[in-house]
Amino acid sequence: MSQPVQRGFAPVHADADSAGWWRSVAERRFTLPRCLECRAWFFPPASSCPSCGSRDTELTAASGDGRVYSWVVVNRALDPAFAIDTPYTVAAIDLGEGPRMFGRLTGDGPVHAGDSVRAVFYEVEGQVLVGFAPAMGRRLEDPQGALGV
Ligand SMILES: [Zn+2]
């Protein structure tokens, strides 16, 4: 049995706005803040709705489904804690509920704009993080699924 690699990963420091979201991530529940006044979904967590300004918001279970908007392959990690993972891909994901979120993209295949992904949870030194994995589905530019992605 191999020992876990000690990376020197700096744990997330949640603030008052994000603490609840990080708790849901720790429980491996994918949630997004949602305004109870105008029903807008938003991310990152904030003290008020970015659409209407209401402070009446709550974390709501979300699908975790999204599509790749853009991505970058990291060959030289900016943080030494992630050097052992290089190369890895960080993507901007347009979530089905509307907000855009950044996260690690798993999988070995080529990435295309519009690829369907789903949220996944992974752990680094006890800290649960959100990433995205390819989902069986269709690309935006391939509405019939003819490419078999
Ligand atoms: Zn609102």
Side-chain angles (χ1 to χ4, degrees), residues 35 38 49 52:
C35 178
C38 75
C49 171
C52 76

Side-chain angles (χ1 to χ4, degrees), residues 56-72:
D56 195 11
T57 66
E58 70 177 4
L59 288 174
T60 306
S63 68
D65 295 333
R67 292 186 183 273
V68 173
Y69 173 76
S70 188
W71 68 97
V72 62

Side-chain angles (χ1 to χ4, degrees), residues 35-40 49-54:
C35 178
L36 297 175
E37 185 71 32
C38 75
R39 307 303 296 164
C49 171
S51 296
C52 76
S54 172

